[in-house]
Amino acid sequence: MNTVAEPEAPRRRLGPASASYAPFLPAVVLLGGFFLVPLGIIVIYSFWEVIDYNVVHHWTLGNYRYFFSVTAYVKTMWATLWVSVVATAISLGLAFPFAYWLSRYVPRRLRAPLLILVVVPFWTSYLLRVYSWLTILGEKGLLNRFLQWAGITHHPIGLFLYDRSAVILVLVYLYFPFAALTLYSSIERFDWDRLRAAMDLGATPLKAIRRILVPQVRPGIVTAIIFVFIPILGEYLTPQIVGGTGGVMIGNLVVNFFQAAEYTRGAAVSLLIALFILLLLIVFRRSLSAPEAYGG
Amino acid sequence: MAGDVEVLSTRARVGRLGLAAYGAFIYVFLFAPIVLLVLFSFNANRYGTFPVTAWTLKWYRDAIGNYQIHDALSTTLKVAAEVTTISVVVGTAAAFPLVRSRLPFRNGIRVAFILPIMIPGLLIGVSLLVLFTGSLHWQLSPQTAVIGQSVYTTPFVILLVAARLQALLPAILAGALLAFTLSLDEFIITYFLIGDRITLPIYIYTQIKFGITPEVNALASMLLGASLLVLALAFALPQVMRATRRAFRPRAGGVA
């Protein structure tokens, strides 16, 4: 009996292992074949070139060199980083007191509905939320119409729209819910008595905040930064709709290159975005994986 | 001493009021643009904005009678149905081994599966465009857009289902709802991959590139209403399901 049973053993061990990988298969095909492979192709494309609308397999750094040789492109790159930093900072800056208020001053039974209310705009269409600002800021928008109707100006003021500050305003509007939600979940868990205790023991308020509050809510802050900063880096619609020529971001450059069939140059610019994301994740990798940050 | 306490409590009260006012300001900031949009959709003013000249349903009639919108809507729904099916099947299957078994490389696999959420949709769109047209020589169609959207929605379903394997059916329903909603709203991947067809977001985009139109205000308001209705259903659903289960418990013997 034993001699029969023995060869079964290795097969049985192999069986469950491959069986437990099997459910992955569709996901591996979908995300491997249609996400990782195309990203790899983009990397290769960024080192090839387009001649007469055909992608030619010449290895070159020309796409990158071209991008950095055009002042307007480099300026757009820096402006994109600037817009992302400012919009992220304002979103978090607005979200922090809001989360503080919600977690400390709002009666417990009202917290959940108020939190859901913050997320409701997120469930409505992204495009429509950008569009809704046109009705306020646009040339025929509420502000201009109101000023004309009230007789303050006779011509529409372009001031409210088609520049960088309009882009930042709308981005803050779009990403505030993310920031509020992630900050709320970490602030809610914070024990405010500890802050008071630190101050009772002689710490200045600023020092207490820096040494007690910030380390404990840091995971929430980092998550919020990542979830706001990264999508903003790749924004296309908002600068396209409310930004005009003054609010162009790097995502618009990517689309322009691809629409002009400049595939290899577009690939290089897309990889610049990916590079910035990678850098951000590397900078924050410690805060993302440090369990002691949760107060453990 | 007593004066000190008095001062402190006054300050605390002012701080409390200030924070409450700030909270109110946040909600006004979040909802004012949406409310105005809906308000202007009933405004007879053909600029679609201030001032309100008269109330009308004309723009709703226009939007409902617009065959381009019909076409875009049917494409959008077809794409969303396919994307939802693919992401629920693929995502649920992948969520099981991710949670249950102690596989080698499990964390690596997890990161690889979640990466599409971290990468801007723009990059998914252009890289698939290059794959489909440059390498595979496929004709762009709603089907290629379905693949692209699924790449983006499936990781959300994996995350959702993996987090709540104990309550599988609600988790799958929530995943389906999320995938459907994300698909309805998706713009940039679809824009690159759908070829010469249009979905509702693409239709709206082409209309608003040059400013506000009252017909889009009406369309937008109807879409907002629809998504709020779906959201309300999503909140009502767990209660409905719980009630149903309770009703069937004596006969089903707790199987459900």
Side-chain angles (χ1 to χ4, degrees):
Chain A
M1 285 305 263
N2 269 348
T3 46
V4 180
E6 248 177 330
E8 285 288 312
R11 203 190 297 163
R12 205 184 299 149
R13 220 177 296 143
L14 197 82
S18 58
S20 51
Y21 273 114
F24 275 147
L25 200 66
V28 168
V29 170
L30 179 69
L31 300 179
F34 295 110
F35 177 69
L36 294 177
V37 168
L39 276 189
I41 295 177
I42 282 281
V43 174
I44 296 172
Y45 259 51
S46 77
F47 295 106
W48 284 350
E49 58 184 327
V50 168
I51 297 174
D52 295 333
Y53 298 103
N54 284 313
V55 176
V56 183
H57 305 187
H58 282 163
W59 294 96
T60 170
L61 283 173
N63 300 312
Y64 294 96
R65 223 177 275 138
Y66 170 73
F67 180 84
F68 285 103
S69 72
V70 179
T71 325
Y73 295 159
V74 179
K75 263 192 189 152
T76 302
M77 183 186 80
W78 291 122
T80 303
L81 286 175
W82 170 245
V83 165
S84 308
V85 168
V86 172
T88 306
I90 297 177
S91 300
L92 265 71
L94 285 175
F96 201 94
F98 175 78
Y100 176 80
W101 169 70
L102 199 59
S103 64
R104 290 216 75 194
Y105 291 98
V106 172
R108 192 167 287 276
R109 69 197 154 74
L110 285 180
R111 278 181 213 165
L114 281 178
L115 206 60
I116 289 167
L117 213 54
V118 170
V119 191
V120 163
F122 169 69
W123 276 86
T124 63
S125 162
Y126 168 95
L127 182 64
L128 294 183
R129 277 180 293 150
V130 181
Y131 172 66
S132 68
W133 279 95
L134 275 186
T135 62
I136 297 174
L137 301 173
E139 193 189 321
K140 294 167 190 162
L142 182 76
L143 279 177
N144 271 320
R145 285 270 149 188
F146 182 79
L147 290 179
Q148 285 174 69
W149 175 79
I152 296 168
T153 59
H154 294 287
H155 304 285
I157 302 174
L159 193 71
F160 305 120
L161 195 62
Y162 304 129
D163 68 352
R164 207 144 273 151
S165 45
V167 173
I168 291 174
L169 173 69
V170 174
L171 288 175
V172 167
Y173 176 72
L174 291 170
Y175 290 100
F176 173 84
F178 285 106
L181 214 59
T182 42
L183 283 186
Y184 174 79
S185 60
S186 73
I187 285 178
E188 193 205 16
R189 277 179 299 174
F190 180 71
D191 181 4
W192 292 91
D193 287 340
R194 287 198 199 180
L195 204 63
R196 170 144 271 170
M199 288 195 283
D200 285 347
L201 291 171
T204 61
L206 210 65
K207 195 175 184 186
I209 287 173
R210 218 184 57 219
R211 298 283 293 273
I212 310 288
L213 177 64
V214 171
Q216 287 194 45
V217 297
R218 180 176 291 147
I221 296 176
V222 169
T223 312
I225 289 177
I226 287 174
F227 274 92
V228 175
F229 192 87
I230 290 179
I232 290 181
L233 269 185
E235 271 292 335
Y236 166 75
L237 268 179
T238 301
Q240 191 71 19
I241 294 170
V242 302
T245 48
V248 175
M249 287 172 67
I250 199 163
N252 306 78
L253 295 183
V254 172
V255 175
N256 291 348
F257 277 129
F258 274 92
Q259 283 180 340
E262 295 270 15
Y263 285 4
T264 59
R265 284 176 179 170
V269 186
S270 328
L271 279 184
L272 282 178
I273 299 179
L275 187 73
F276 286 128
I277 293 170
L278 201 64
L279 283 177
L280 187 79
L281 291 179
I282 289 172
V283 166
F284 285 125
R285 78 187 181 285
R286 273 198 46 218
S287 316
L288 272 178
S289 56
E292 71 268 21
Y294 290 91
Chain B
M1 268 318 241
D4 223 34
V5 170
E6 191 85 312
V7 168
L8 252 177
S9 68
T10 317
R11 257 179 65 188
R13 210 179 307 139
V14 169
R16 207 189 172 96
L17 270 174
L19 275 172
Y22 177 76
F25 158 75
I26 289 292
Y27 286 103
V28 170
F29 173 60
L30 285 178
F31 287 97
I34 298 175
V35 169
L36 282 173
L37 181 67
V38 175
L39 196 72
F40 289 144
S41 72
F42 296 106
N43 182 359
N45 183 338
R46 67 188 171 85
Y47 295 113
T49 63
F50 195 82
V52 176
T53 47
W55 300 109
T56 178
L57 286 173
K58 176 186 187 319
W59 313 119
Y60 284 85
R61 279 195 296 272
D62 286 1
I64 290 168
N66 184 328
Y67 80 95
Q68 254 188 311
I69 293 179
H70 296 177
D71 187 42
L73 179 66
S74 83
T75 309
T76 308
L77 290 176
K78 264 182 225 152
V79 167
E82 288 173 31
V83 167
T84 306
T85 311
I86 291 176
S87 15
V88 165
V89 171
V90 175
T92 308
F96 274 96
L98 210 56
V99 176
R100 287 263 167 94
S101 54
R102 292 211 188 130
L103 297 175
F105 316 118
R106 200 178 72 167
N107 272 335
I109 293 172
R110 186 185 297 233
V111 170
F113 280 175
I114 287 161
L115 217 54
I117 296 182
M118 302 292 266
I119 298 281
L122 177 62
L123 266 70
I124 298 177
V126 294
S127 62
L128 275 173
L129 176 73
V130 167
L131 176 80
F132 289 152
T133 60
S135 307
L136 298 174
H137 302 288
W138 287 2
Q139 189 77 40
L140 293 178
S141 69
Q143 263 55 52
T144 48
V146 165
I147 295 175
Q149 287 192 6
S150 301
V151 167
Y152 157 70
T153 54
T154 304
F156 284 100
V157 177
I158 296 180
L159 277 182
L160 235 162
V161 176
R164 295 172 58 195
L165 270 188
Q166 319 82 324
L168 191 59
L169 192 61
I172 291 176
L173 281 177
L177 185 66
L178 185 62
F180 193 77
T181 314
L182 289 173
S183 168
L184 287 185
D185 195 28
E186 211 293 318
F187 173 78
I188 192 76
I189 300 174
T190 319
Y191 188 54
F192 273 108
L193 299 180
I194 203 163
D196 51 11
R197 301 294 296 276
I198 58 166
T199 58
L200 271 183
I202 296 175
Y203 172 78
I204 294 172
Y205 174 70
T206 54
Q207 295 297 304
I208 66 180
K209 253 198 297 197
F210 307 104
I212 318 154
T213 66
E215 193 182 302
V216 172
N217 285 349
L219 176 63
S221 304
M222 289 190 277
L223 292 175
L224 285 172
S227 54
L228 290 183
L229 196 69
V230 170
L231 195 62
L233 277 179
F235 276 106
L237 205 61
Q239 263 111 32
V240 172
M241 276 178 33
R242 225 172 294 140
T244 319
R245 214 174 303 157
R246 223 174 285 131
F248 280 100
R249 189 165 291 153
R251 262 181 296 164
V255 175

